[in-house]
Amino acid sequence: MAVEFSLGTKVIHFGRVANPVIPIPVLTGAGYVPFDFLIDTGADCSMIPASIATADLGANLKRCPQDVFFGIEGTGVRVYRGWLPIKIGPYPLRVRCVFSTQAHSPLILGRMDLFRHFSITFDNYRHVIRFNRLTR
């Protein structure tokens, strides 16, 4: 069964561009709550702000391994490694995630763990992002 999300657009200096931001339910202390994630096929793993990890997921950063991640900006960002319990449609999934200490970190859904369970299609004709669950 495929799960589809609307593929939005935004306008930048060069013109209109696809904006693959979709609501992903995250398991919090209050149950599943939707958060808007950027689907980033260039990101190795998923990322959320550390403030969300502690406030909404109940993560204890003192127990999480620390690391430094490098992105397009070239400077390292201190992160904590953990897990993110999400749902893609009716399918619950735990993905490895880093919790960023940067003040304005985006919520990113990256390749790790996600690509092992889903084939993702960006359908620019129909303006949808389609997640097809892989069967093993």
Side-chain angles (χ1 to χ4, degrees), residues 6-125:
S6 178
L7 176 57
T9 62
K10 66 180 181 180
V11 177
I12 62 172
H13 293 291
F14 293 114
R16 186 167 299 279
V17 64
N19 189 30
V21 174
I22 62 172
I24 296 290
V26 176
L27 185 58
T28 70
Y32 280 99
V33 176
F35 287 87
D36 288 338
F37 280 82
L38 172 67
I39 305 303
D40 187 348
T41 61
D44 292 335
C45 71
S46 299
M47 178 178 74
I48 64 171
S51 59
I52 291 176
T54 56
D56 295 302
L57 303 180
N60 181 348
L61 299 183
K62 292 178 182 171
R63 294 179 177 224
C64 296
Q66 291 187 42
D67 210 338
V68 177
F69 265 45
F70 294 89
I72 193 169
E73 79 286 342
T75 61
V77 175
R78 187 168 52 113
V79 297
Y80 297 89
R81 294 192 312 264
W83 291 88
L84 186 64
I86 63 172
K87 266 190 183 179
I88 303 293
Y91 307 111
L93 180 67
R94 277 178 27 122
V95 296
R96 281 170 273 195
C97 183
V98 294
F99 310 138
S100 172
T101 58
Q102 239 181 2
H104 300 288
S105 295
L107 284 78
I108 293 174
L109 199 56
R111 297 185 313 271
M112 184 164 283
D113 301 314
L114 187 67
F115 278 26
R116 194 175 55 169
H117 296 281
F118 292 93
S119 177
I120 302 170
T121 303
F122 294 85
D123 185 336
N124 290 301
Y125 181 75

Side-chain angles (χ1 to χ4, degrees), residues 119-136:
S119 177
I120 302 170
T121 303
F122 294 85
D123 185 336
N124 290 301
Y125 181 75
R126 292 185 49 233
H127 305 288
V128 295
I129 302 169
R130 186 177 311 105
F131 286 71
N132 288 299
R133 188 162 185 244
L134 302 175
T135 55
R136 306 228 179 241

